[in-house]
Amino acid sequence: MLKGVNPLLSGDLLKVLDDMGHGDVLVLADRNFPAHSSGRPVIRVSTGVVDAVEAILSVFPLDSFVEKPLGRMQIGDDPTATNDTQLAVLESARSLDPHAGEFEVVPRFEVYERARAAYAVVQTIETAPYCVFLLTKGVV
C-alpha cells in the first residue's frame, strides 16, 4: 500500500505509466475491446473507464504539445455521436488535466491500428459500448 496513490493503480500499471515517454500512447479500453490482438502489453483493472481514467490521470500528464491528447472511439458512422460514459470520461479528464480539451474522434478500425502502435492497453470491465480511449503522455 502506498499513501496518496489511487488503489486502482497496481504496481504493474504504475510501472507501465512510469516507463512511458513523452508522446507514447496508452489505450484505455472497455471489456469488449480485442486488447490482446493489439500485440501490446495488457493490464487489467477491475473497474469502469471513468474510475480508471481518474486513477491514471492522477499520475499521468496529458501531452500539451498535441492539439488533442485524448481520443475516443467513434460511435458507428457518426463522429458527433457520444454516449454518457464517453462524456463522463471527458468531464473527468478535464477536471484533472488542463490539456484534456476536446476528444479526437477516431473511427473504430483506426483505433485498432493505433492500438497496435500504442505502448500498452489498460482493459477495464466497462460494459458501455465504444468506450475505448487513446491517451497521449506528456511531460511533468
Side-chain angles (χ1 to χ4, degrees):
M1 295 295 277
L2 298 171
K3 291 174 24 176
V5 176
N6 188 306
L8 294 175
L9 299 175
S10 67
D12 290 339
L13 181 51
L14 283 170
K15 179 168 179 15
V16 164
L17 298 176
D18 184 51
D19 287 349
M20 290 177 70
H22 175 251
D24 281 337
V25 174
L26 181 72
V27 177
L28 177 61
D30 60 42
R31 71 181 330 147
N32 294 306
F33 185 74
H36 291 281
S37 296
S38 71
R40 310 313 306 152
V42 176
I43 299 160
R44 294 182 183 275
V45 293
S46 296
T47 192
V49 292
V50 176
D51 288 341
V53 82
E54 288 175 357
I56 291 166
L57 292 181
S58 73
V59 298
F60 182 100
L62 290 173
D63 195 340
S64 62
F65 292 97
V66 296
E67 185 178 341
K68 295 181 179 178
L70 182 61
R72 69 163 173 88
M73 182 182 277
Q74 179 176 306
I75 296 176
D77 294 328
D78 183 359
T80 64
T82 58
N83 63 35
D84 291 342
T85 306
Q86 288 179 339
L87 295 174
V89 165
L90 183 59
E91 183 179 328
S92 292
R94 285 178 175 165
S95 73
L96 293 163
D97 193 300
H99 305 295
E102 294 294 326
F103 279 126
E104 174 187 12
V105 181
V106 185
R108 178 177 159 212
F109 292 107
E110 187 178 333
V111 169
Y112 297 154
E113 290 175 29
R114 290 196 196 183
R116 287 190 284 279
Y119 193 88
V121 177
V122 175
Q123 188 155 41
T124 69
I125 60 171
E126 181 62 56
T127 58
Y130 300 101
C131 285
V132 182
F133 304 91
L134 306 169
L135 290 73
T136 303
K137 188 174 183 185
V139 297
V140 177

